[in-house]
């Protein structure tokens, strides 16, 4: 659906050349929710704005649904942009227009018939749950209600892609969750491809299918959210995962007093999370164990569990037990050897 091919963006600032994006290669599949996470200044907003060419890349190609956006004339680009909706951190509503009029605005720009505009606006007001607020002005709305108007407006022209530029960062946690639930419902009901940027790992784990981690204008890690969240490889990714991890870090201190014992972190993904795999394996190997820490949670629709376990075994016995756990499809990381 979306392909970014060798995208770079440079600009001059204070007499020096700034590399905002560096050789970005990215593919977003039709119908998925794809997250891009990074710290402030990492290049997230620049990257998402290259998709609809609000930011024109210095080099590279942007292909959306088979169309090379970077090769279009200005008039053709304007036409193609109607298939790409966008919602913003600070809503960008027109203060002099009502909810209904804000949603209708892009349809009027597209010169749609009045009766078609009314039908579409009524449909979208129902979709985002603003039936009781249709004739209010933005100043009369809460932050969450304003963002719902922004979402409805972005969907007005029936786009194939919805871009979300820090769409929840100005909202409180409860409102954020309601907006994320709405985006997930829209994705499932309309099969629309969603690309969102954020600096919050909780947003990624709640609704995204895949994620790319951006650091200093470069993608340093990408993959399925479950893989990236549970097995982060890059320092920046580990920083983000630490924001929302339910498991405290295990102290990497002395192994004194651990003779004959081995500490491991075991990760379960999917339905295996609820199966007694650990119990059965330990019973078969006749290895006593103690659970030191543990959590069960979800990454979007995927359940997962993490346990820190102390095996009352060492040397070859511990290695055979760990191998047996891995044969069951579990990810096992050795933390301490006795």
């Amino acid at each position: 659906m979306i392909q970014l091919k060798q995208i770079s963006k440079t600009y001059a600032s204070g007499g020096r050349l700034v590399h905002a994006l560096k050789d970005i290669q990215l593919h977003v599949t039709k119908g998925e929710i794809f997250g891009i996470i990074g710290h402030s200044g990492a290049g997230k907003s620049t990257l998402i704005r290259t998709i609809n060419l609000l930011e024109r890349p210095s080099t590279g190609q942007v292909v959306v649904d088979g169309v090379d956006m970077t090769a279009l004339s200005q008039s053709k680009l304007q036409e193609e942009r109607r298939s790409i909706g966008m919602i913003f951190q600070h809503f960008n509503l027109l203060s002099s227009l009502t909810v209904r009029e804000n949603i209708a605005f892009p349809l009027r720009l597209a010169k749609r018939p009045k009766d078609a505009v009314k039908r579409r606006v009524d449909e979208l007001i129902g979709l985002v749950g603003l039936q009781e607020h249709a004739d209010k002005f933005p100043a009369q709305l809460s932050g969450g209600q304003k963002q719902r108007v922004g979402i409805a407006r972005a969907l007005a022209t029936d786009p194939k892609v919805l871009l979300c530029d820090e769409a929840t960062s100005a909202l409180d946690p409860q409102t954020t969750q309601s907006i994320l639930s709405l985006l997930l419902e829209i994705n499932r009901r309309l099969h629309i491809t969603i690309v969102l940027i954020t600096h919050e790992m909780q947003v990624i784990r709640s609704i995204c299918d895949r994620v790319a981690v951006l650091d200093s204008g470069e993608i340093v890690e990408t993959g399925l959210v479950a893989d990236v969240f549970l097995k982060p490889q890059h320092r920046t990714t580990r920083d983000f995962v630490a924001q929302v991890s339910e498991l405290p870090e295990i102290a990497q201190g002395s192994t004194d007093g651990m003779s004959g014992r081995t500490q491991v972190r075991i990760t379960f993904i999917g339905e295996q999370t609820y199966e007694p795999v650990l119990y059965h394996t330990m019973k078969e190997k006749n290895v006593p164990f103690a659970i030191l820490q543990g959590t069960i949670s979800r990454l979007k629709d995927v359940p997962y569990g993490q346990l820190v376990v102390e095996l009352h075994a060492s040397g070859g016995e511990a290695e055979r037990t760990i191998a047996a756990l891995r044969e069951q499809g579990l990810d096992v990381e050795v933390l301490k050897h006795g």
Side-chain angles (χ1 to χ4, degrees):
M1 171 56 82
I2 301 170
Q3 289 179 287
L4 303 183
K5 302 179 180 181
Q6 295 181 301
I7 294 293
S8 295
K9 176 68 177 180
T10 58
Y11 58 89
S13 176
R16 65 189 183 92
L17 200 61
V18 176
H19 296 273
L21 298 174
K22 306 169 189 175
D23 196 28
I24 299 292
Q25 301 272 20
L26 201 61
H27 179 259
V28 179
T29 304
K30 182 177 176 62
E32 75 174 331
I33 302 180
F34 192 97
I36 299 167
I37 191 168
H39 294 297
S40 296
K44 303 186 302 296
S45 290
T46 301
L47 179 55
I48 200 169
R49 287 163 66 90
T50 62
I51 295 174
N52 58 6
L53 261 66
L54 290 178
E55 287 276 0
R56 185 170 285 274
S58 303
T59 62
Q61 285 180 292
V62 178
V63 180
V64 179
D65 201 22
V67 177
D68 184 353
M69 303 286 285
T70 44
L72 297 178
S73 66
Q74 191 60 36
S75 61
K76 286 288 187 183
L77 179 58
Q78 289 290 92
E79 189 178 324
E80 284 297 326
R81 277 184 179 145
R82 289 179 189 145
S83 68
I84 305 174
M86 191 164 192
I87 58 176
F88 303 90
Q89 177 180 1
H90 297 296
F91 321 127
N92 289 11
L93 302 181
L94 298 168
S95 61
S96 61
L97 301 184
T98 65
V99 167
R100 185 181 299 278
E101 290 166 339
N102 265 283
I103 298 170
F105 188 71
L107 294 169
R108 289 180 176 145
L109 285 180
K111 299 180 179 179
R112 301 285 175 85
K114 284 186 178 180
D115 58 340
V117 171
K118 184 181 185 307
R119 283 197 305 272
R120 182 61 174 157
V121 170
D122 287 344
E123 177 187 349
L124 290 168
I125 286 174
L127 177 66
V128 300
L130 291 174
Q131 295 93 326
E132 297 177 7
H133 307 282
D135 296 313
K136 292 182 180 179
F137 291 91
Q140 299 172 287
L141 304 176
S142 68
Q145 289 165 347
K146 288 176 184 177
Q147 195 57 284
R148 286 172 182 268
V149 179
I151 292 170
R153 182 185 57 187
L155 295 173
T157 55
D158 196 23
K160 303 169 186 173
V161 174
L162 182 62
L163 306 179
C164 305
D165 189 355
E166 294 275 14
T168 61
S169 63
L171 305 175
D172 63 76
Q174 185 174 353
T175 307
T176 290
Q177 198 54 51
S178 73
I179 293 298
L180 293 178
S181 296
L182 176 59
L183 290 173
L184 188 55
E185 179 187 352
I186 287 167
N187 169 257
R188 288 171 171 168
R189 185 187 296 190
L190 304 181
H191 307 291
I192 189 171
T193 304
I194 297 178
V195 180
L196 63 84
I197 64 168
T198 184
H199 61 274
E200 299 172 285
M201 195 66 186
Q202 182 60 39
V203 171
I204 298 294
R205 66 180 286 183
S206 294
I207 67 168
C208 292
D209 301 298
R210 291 193 299 136
V211 62
V213 183
L214 199 63
D215 184 50
S216 300
E218 297 181 271
I219 293 177
V220 296
E221 192 163 353
T222 187
L224 295 172
V225 170
D227 292 338
V228 172
F229 182 81
L230 296 173
K231 306 172 191 175
Q233 301 299 309
H234 192 270
R235 167 186 48 81
T236 300
T237 314
R238 290 194 290 270
D239 288 345
F240 281 118
V241 169
Q243 292 178 358
V244 293
S245 177
E246 292 93 349
L247 272 180
E249 288 295 317
I250 300 299
Q252 299 297 317
S254 170
T255 57
D256 291 348
M258 280 192 60
S259 178
R261 302 184 183 190
T262 303
Q263 282 185 10
V264 297
R265 179 184 284 116
I266 304 172
T267 300
F268 307 76
I269 300 178
E271 293 308 313
Q272 200 175 42
T273 303
Y274 305 112
E275 299 294 331
V277 180
L278 177 63
Y279 169 77
H280 287 310
T281 303
M282 296 306 187
K283 184 178 180 182
E284 179 186 325
K285 295 296 180 183
N286 195 29
V287 173
F289 68 97
I291 296 175
L292 305 182
Q293 297 172 357
T295 186
I296 292 178
S297 190
R298 299 185 76 85
L299 295 164
K300 193 177 179 180
D301 299 323
V302 180
Y304 76 92
Q306 284 190 318
L307 298 177
V308 175
V309 175
E310 185 173 85
L311 309 179
H312 291 208
S314 62
E317 186 180 19
E319 289 175 10
R320 287 189 291 274
T321 303
I322 292 168
L325 290 168
R326 287 172 175 162
E327 286 172 6
Q328 299 297 316
L330 303 181
D331 182 77
V332 184
E333 176 190 0
V334 178
L335 301 175
K336 288 183 181 179
H337 282 295

